[in-house]
């Protein structure tokens, strides 16, 4: 049987990647935690499995039949959900990948977040910049990256893609900003967020797999505006009143405020189709 591509976590990102790989002619095994999603995915994928990586002994024997794997997992609830997924669940996955019976080469792409940089007061950050250890969640995200990168097998290569806020079909961020025009939004308007297009995420995962990229890459678009600058630009274009942002972060807000460089992945040969949500990719 031909080796295929696996997707652990068939949510918004995972499903887009799975569909792209299937269109490229690869047999795809997709997993989902949700029983309800299994039937929907079965209409799209070659092989669909219900999988909860937080189970004590998850069924992961299918890993032996893969040449490429995307891991795109997230908690379905707050607080304990992060620990479940990024501590226990990722340990289960890393252990299974270390014990994988096949010695066929496997490339793994692990989806992470640029939120690991935390609040850098708008300074520029790169892949080698320190991660935010003051936030328990960011610390867990960074530890999960390390679990993947520490899989020490000569037949296994690992790439971590750090994403920004995701926009694409069903996530019209420009439309959401327009709807917030004139309203008070209790988030720090001076914070600079990073953004990633779903189209470029799926393309980036395929690129990482084909090029066998290893290490950490920021997969974000070119836009480096604060929330206030972005919303003002959009509202002014449409003659709408500005969004009323706060001028500081609340104590409950897990703030990300940095200009995230995407130079490394560009230098590897990857070209963005969507330089920003203001110039979405036409596909």
């Amino acid at each position: 049987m031909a080796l295929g591509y696996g997707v652990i976590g068939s949510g918004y990102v995972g499903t887009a990647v799975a569909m792209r790989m299937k269109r490229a002619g690869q047999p795809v095994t997709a997993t989902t935690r949700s029983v309800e999603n299994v039937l929907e995915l079965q209409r799209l994928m070659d092989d669909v499995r219900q999988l909860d990586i937080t189970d004590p002994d998850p069924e992961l024997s299918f890993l032996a039949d893969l040449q490429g794997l995307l891991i795109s997992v997230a908690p379905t609830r707050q607080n304990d959900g992060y620990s479940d997924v990024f501590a226990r669940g990722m340990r289960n996955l890393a252990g299974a990948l270390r014990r994988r019976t096949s010695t066929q080469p496997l490339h793994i792409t692990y989806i992470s977040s640029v939120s690991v940089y935390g609040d850098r007061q708008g300074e520029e950050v790169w892949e080698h910049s320190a991660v935010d250890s003051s936030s328990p969640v960011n610390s867990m995200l960074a530890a999960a990256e390390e679990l993947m990168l520490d899989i020490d097998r000569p037949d296994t290569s690992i790439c971590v893609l750090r994403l920004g806020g995701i926009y694409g079909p069903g996530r019209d961020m420009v439309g959401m900003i327009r709807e917030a025009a004139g309203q008070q939004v209790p988030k720090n308007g001076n914070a600079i967020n990073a953004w990633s297009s779903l189209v470029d995420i799926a393309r980036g995962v395929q690129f990482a797999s084909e090029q066998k990229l290893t290490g950490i890459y920021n997969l974000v678009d070119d836009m480096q505006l604060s929330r206030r600058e972005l919303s003002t630009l959009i509202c002014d274009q449409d003659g709408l009143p500005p969004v009323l942002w706060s001028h500081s972060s609340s104590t409950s807000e897990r703030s990300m405020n940095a200009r995230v460089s995407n130079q490394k992945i560009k230098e590897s040969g990857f070209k963005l189709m969507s330089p920003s949500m203001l110039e979405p990719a036409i596909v």
Side-chain angles (χ1 to χ4, degrees):
M1 186 179 75
L3 295 173
Y5 194 87
V7 174
I8 294 180
S10 302
Y12 188 63
V13 167
T15 300
V17 171
M19 292 299 296
R20 185 173 186 88
M21 294 303 190
K22 184 174 170 61
R23 287 195 298 270
Q26 293 204 52
V28 176
T29 296
T31 79
T32 176
R33 185 190 299 188
S34 166
V35 180
E36 294 76 15
N37 287 348
V38 169
L39 290 176
E40 179 65 27
L41 287 168
Q42 282 175 337
R43 291 195 282 268
L44 304 172
M45 299 293 116
D46 302 282
D47 182 19
V48 180
R49 300 171 186 233
Q50 186 186 0
L51 172 67
D52 186 343
I53 62 170
T54 68
D55 286 344
D57 187 24
E59 169 50 51
L60 293 164
S61 61
F62 68 92
L63 295 174
D65 301 323
L66 304 178
Q67 63 182 353
L69 174 67
L70 172 72
I71 301 172
S72 179
V73 295
T76 53
R77 61 186 188 279
Q78 297 295 319
N79 303 322
D80 288 344
Y82 279 92
S83 179
D84 289 343
V85 172
F86 294 112
R88 186 169 74 251
M90 290 305 297
R91 278 198 302 270
N92 288 343
L93 265 183
L97 288 163
R98 286 192 188 95
R99 297 187 302 271
R100 187 170 58 96
T101 56
S102 171
T103 57
Q104 290 286 342
L106 174 66
H107 182 273
I108 302 169
T109 306
Y110 175 60
I111 295 296
S112 187
S113 170
V114 297
S115 68
V116 296
Y117 298 117
D119 186 354
R120 306 300 284 268
Q121 300 297 306
E123 293 181 356
E124 189 167 21
V125 292
W126 300 266
E127 288 81 356
H128 60 267
S129 298
V131 297
D132 173 27
S133 58
S134 65
S135 161
V137 171
N138 288 346
S139 293
M140 276 189 278
L141 294 176
E145 291 182 356
E146 287 302 313
L147 273 173
M148 286 292 104
L149 293 169
D150 286 346
I151 294 171
D152 187 17
R153 285 183 54 143
D155 58 7
T156 305
S157 52
I158 299 107
C159 175
V160 173
L161 295 180
R162 290 175 175 166
L163 309 183
I166 302 171
Y167 59 91
R171 293 192 183 184
D172 178 9
M173 301 306 299
V174 173
M176 291 172 66
I177 290 170
R178 289 190 183 114
E179 289 178 5
Q183 298 180 38
Q184 188 80 44
V185 178
K187 289 187 177 181
N188 185 359
N190 300 320
I192 297 170
N193 295 152
W195 298 95
S196 303
S197 159
L198 183 65
V199 170
D200 280 327
I201 295 168
R203 292 178 62 248
V205 172
Q206 184 179 28
F207 179 83
S209 182
E210 291 174 348
Q211 301 299 315
K212 302 296 185 287
L213 296 187
T214 60
I216 299 172
Y217 292 81
N218 297 325
L219 179 49
V220 297
D221 68 19
D222 294 332
M223 190 168 66
Q224 295 185 334
L225 301 177
S226 69
R227 289 168 174 155
R228 196 183 317 279
E229 290 168 334
L230 172 61
S231 63
T232 298
L233 183 63
I234 292 169
C235 292
D236 282 354
Q237 286 178 343
D238 291 355
L240 298 170
V243 179
L244 306 175
W245 301 97
S246 297
H247 288 274
S248 60
S249 301
S250 68
T251 54
S252 62
E253 186 179 350
R254 185 163 62 94
S255 181
M256 187 278 178
N257 180 9
R259 301 179 189 274
V260 180
S261 171
N262 59 15
Q263 200 60 36
K264 182 180 177 182
I265 197 164
K266 285 183 174 180
E267 288 175 352
S268 74
F270 183 70
K271 294 179 173 60
L272 293 169
M273 285 186 67
S274 179
S276 85
M277 69 176 71
L278 303 175
E279 304 170 73
I282 300 174
V283 293

